[in-house]
Amino acid sequence: MAVKERPAPIPSVRRLPLYLRYLKALPPQEHTHISCTRIARELGQIPIQVRKDLAVTGINGKPKVGYPVSLLIRAIEDFLGWDRSSEAFLLGAGSLGMALMEYEQFQHLGLRIVAAFDIDPGKIGRRVNGVAVHALDALPAVVRERPVLIGILTVPGEAAQEIAQRLTEAGVRALWNFTPATLAVPEEVVVENVQLSCSLAVLTSRLRMSPEGVHRSGPRG
Amino acid sequence: MAVKERPAPIPSVRRLPLYLRYLKALPPQEHTHISCTRIARELGQIPIQVRKDLAVTGINGKPKVGYPVSLLIRAIEDFLGWDRSSEAFLLGAGSLGMALMEYEQFQHLGLRIVAAFDIDPGKIGRRVNGVAVHALDALPAVVRERPVLIGILTVPGEAAQEIAQRLTEAGVRALWNFTPATLAVPEEVVVENVQLSCSLAVLTSRLRMSPEGVHRSGPRG
DNA sequence: TAGATTGTTAATCGATTAACAATC
DNA sequence: TAGATTGTTAATCGATTAACAATC
């Protein structure tokens, strides 16, 4: 019987793209191998963390030599599934939705937005960066043709829950939530939140704690 | 001598905006008080976590009664600094930058973008949602007039490090980084990353782990 | 060879969760 | 009053960091 393997720690998964970007930017022929010491130094981390993170991809380094760069790149891409491409729907063709449709880097992240949906008649029928904007009501029909697993939510917060429901009913299994809403979904559906308010809360509270934060009146007035 | 108080846990701070949004959406006169049990149920969390999170704001609830809604809202807003408004510069008026400039909700998050910067002559001098787009070289002059503490980075990844440096040299103390770059900054500068690639990595890896993930060939082929 | 670096096992740290007396 | 809910202290859990033998 196989030992049940633990899933990779989420924080490690979250850091993998940083390593990948760094590795891909390395001068191609300069080194065939790289150590976690060096990666850590360049990215402001500590070596042991890099080592642990890279280990989740299954890569094997050599003592004293380090990790083979090209194999390491492939191992991360493979682990993240970025070598093959996942299709996604985008819900809400407002300015944020438009920005995501125009974001060329997604092709390197294994993501392809194949259709957008909106309720604004002025947007329906348009094409943005090659992607057609459909009426929201066309969702079931479009899904039937193309069983897409990922939905990107860039609708107003008030509409988010209803759209999430329509998506999961249509068979979408993962929601990338850019709205401020907290989504209630069936437990088999994955939700990843990109909530600006949450991120901003951390930024401002850390700024306030920092030596020269928002308040000019610090510890010593 | 005062007991040195620990800073609030980052995960708690990150969740506060979710509670705030929920509380503000409550029917105004319906309840004067609310329990963490109820908040937890509505937001898919557990009561003890809500209780611990709310405690960081300094609010005091009453056993059996719960927390006073309006005071709780004020306590969270006060803790996050969202009752007063912080000014920010936006660097890079591309489609993502534009989307942020047009994001009306920032006013409820205590953030006001007061100037944007770009190097594209076609954008310099324009106004987006009332915000002027300046030449990047005008940064020192604009800072001199208005000592802003927060910089929002929506430039291409290749440019991010250089812009970050210019910002910190100009006195900006917090960077909200929407680029894929890992920024090296002086230690007194706060960096909060909103990196789509990192978020997407978590989404896709969790989708792959889930019962009906990307691969149709699951445990039973 | 000597020593930098790996993979692995152990220790530490911080966040989450549990337990429970106090109380409105 | 009885019991739901709080604040606080303790236990658990998982991630981070340290230690170290193995090794290219």
Side-chain angles (χ1 to χ4, degrees):
Chain A
M1 223 199 276
V3 183
K4 78 170 173 214
E5 58 183 303
R6 292 238 235 115
I10 299 284
S12 292
V13 174
R14 196 176 291 277
R15 284 186 295 263
L16 287 178
L18 305 179
Y19 305 136
L20 184 60
R21 189 185 129 91
Y22 168 73
L23 293 167
K24 283 179 138 183
L26 283 176
Q29 305 322 347
E30 195 172 315
H31 313 275
T32 60
H33 290 70
I34 191 162
S35 72
C36 65
T37 316
R38 168 110 183 266
I39 298 175
R41 183 175 355 109
E42 305 266 359
L43 294 179
Q45 311 227 26
I46 61 173
I48 177 63
Q49 182 161 77
V50 176
R51 207 146 79 240
K52 273 270 155 78
D53 289 345
L54 297 183
V56 309
T57 68
I59 190 81
N60 268 99
K62 291 204 186 80
K64 160 92 176 154
V65 177
Y67 302 87
V69 176
S70 58
L71 283 183
L72 182 49
I73 288 174
R74 255 189 281 161
I76 298 176
E77 285 183 333
D78 178 64
F79 178 88
L80 295 175
W82 289 358
D83 45 352
R84 43 205 180 276
S85 154
S86 302
E87 300 187 333
F89 290 150
L90 184 135
L91 286 290
S95 53
L96 180 57
M98 296 281 195
L100 295 185
M101 282 193 269
E102 283 165 10
Y103 189 58
E104 305 294 344
Q105 302 308 313
F106 280 145
Q107 71 183 95
H108 303 298
L109 312 181
L111 191 78
R112 200 149 48 90
I113 298 174
V114 296
F117 297 86
D118 205 300
I119 54 167
D120 179 355
K123 284 170 185 158
I124 295 164
R126 281 175 58 184
R127 283 190 159 262
V128 180
N129 201 15
V131 178
V133 180
H134 301 267
L136 182 59
D137 291 331
L139 180 63
V142 176
V143 170
R144 227 171 292 129
E145 303 244 315
R146 232 196 236 267
V148 162
L149 294 176
I150 301 175
I152 305 173
L153 269 78
T154 48
V155 298
E158 309 80 62
Q161 179 59 49
E162 194 214 317
I163 305 291
Q165 191 161 337
R166 289 214 212 183
L167 283 168
T168 56
E169 282 167 2
V172 167
R173 307 302 305 268
L175 300 179
W176 205 11
N177 179 30
F178 286 79
T179 83
T182 301
L183 303 176
V185 295
E187 67 170 331
E188 72 272 16
V189 174
V190 173
V191 176
E192 170 71 14
N193 294 309
V194 181
Q195 290 169 314
L196 296 190
S197 58
C198 301
S199 176
L200 186 59
V202 175
L203 182 79
T204 52
S205 85
R206 286 174 57 204
L207 178 58
R208 202 142 29 84
M209 299 294 165
S210 85
E212 307 239 352
V214 171
H215 304 299
R216 289 298 145 121
S217 54
R220 300 214 150 243
Chain B
M1 224 200 275
V3 183
K4 76 166 175 219
E5 58 183 303
R6 291 237 237 117
I10 299 285
S12 293
V13 175
R14 196 176 291 278
R15 283 185 296 262
L16 287 178
L18 305 179
Y19 306 135
L20 183 60
R21 189 185 130 92
Y22 167 73
L23 293 167
K24 284 181 138 180
L26 283 176
Q29 307 319 350
E30 196 173 315
H31 314 276
T32 60
H33 289 69
I34 191 161
S35 71
C36 65
T37 316
R38 168 112 184 268
I39 298 176
R41 185 177 351 109
E42 305 266 359
L43 294 180
Q45 310 226 27
I46 61 175
I48 176 64
Q49 182 160 76
V50 176
R51 204 145 82 244
K52 273 270 155 80
D53 289 345
L54 297 183
V56 310
T57 68
I59 190 81
N60 269 97
K62 291 204 185 80
K64 160 95 174 148
V65 178
Y67 303 87
V69 176
S70 60
L71 283 184
L72 182 50
I73 289 174
R74 254 188 283 160
I76 298 176
E77 285 182 334
D78 178 63
F79 178 87
L80 295 175
W82 288 359
D83 45 352
R84 43 206 180 276
S85 153
S86 303
E87 300 187 331
F89 290 150
L90 183 134
L91 286 289
S95 53
L96 179 57
M98 296 281 195
L100 295 184
M101 282 194 269
E102 283 164 10
Y103 188 59
E104 305 294 345
Q105 302 308 314
F106 280 143
Q107 72 183 92
H108 304 297
L109 311 182
L111 192 77
R112 200 150 47 89
I113 299 174
V114 296
F117 297 85
D118 205 301
I119 54 166
D120 179 354
K123 285 170 185 157
I124 295 164
R126 283 175 58 184
R127 284 190 159 263
V128 180
N129 200 15
V131 178
V133 180
H134 301 267
L136 182 60
D137 290 332
L139 180 63
V142 176
V143 170
R144 228 172 291 130
E145 303 245 315
R146 232 195 236 267
V148 162
L149 292 177
I150 301 174
I152 305 173
L153 269 77
T154 47
V155 297
E158 309 80 62
Q161 180 58 49
E162 195 214 318
I163 306 291
Q165 190 162 338
R166 289 213 211 184
L167 283 167
T168 56
E169 282 167 1
V172 167
R173 307 301 304 266
L175 301 178
W176 204 11
N177 178 29
F178 286 79
T179 82
T182 302
L183 303 176
V185 297
E187 67 170 333
E188 72 272 16
V189 174
V190 173
V191 176
E192 170 71 13
N193 293 309
V194 181
Q195 289 169 315
L196 296 191
S197 59
C198 300
S199 176
L200 186 59
V202 175
L203 182 78
T204 52
S205 85
R206 285 175 57 205
L207 178 58
R208 203 139 31 84
M209 299 295 166
S210 85
E212 307 237 353
V214 171
H215 304 299
R216 289 297 144 125
S217 52
R220 300 214 151 244

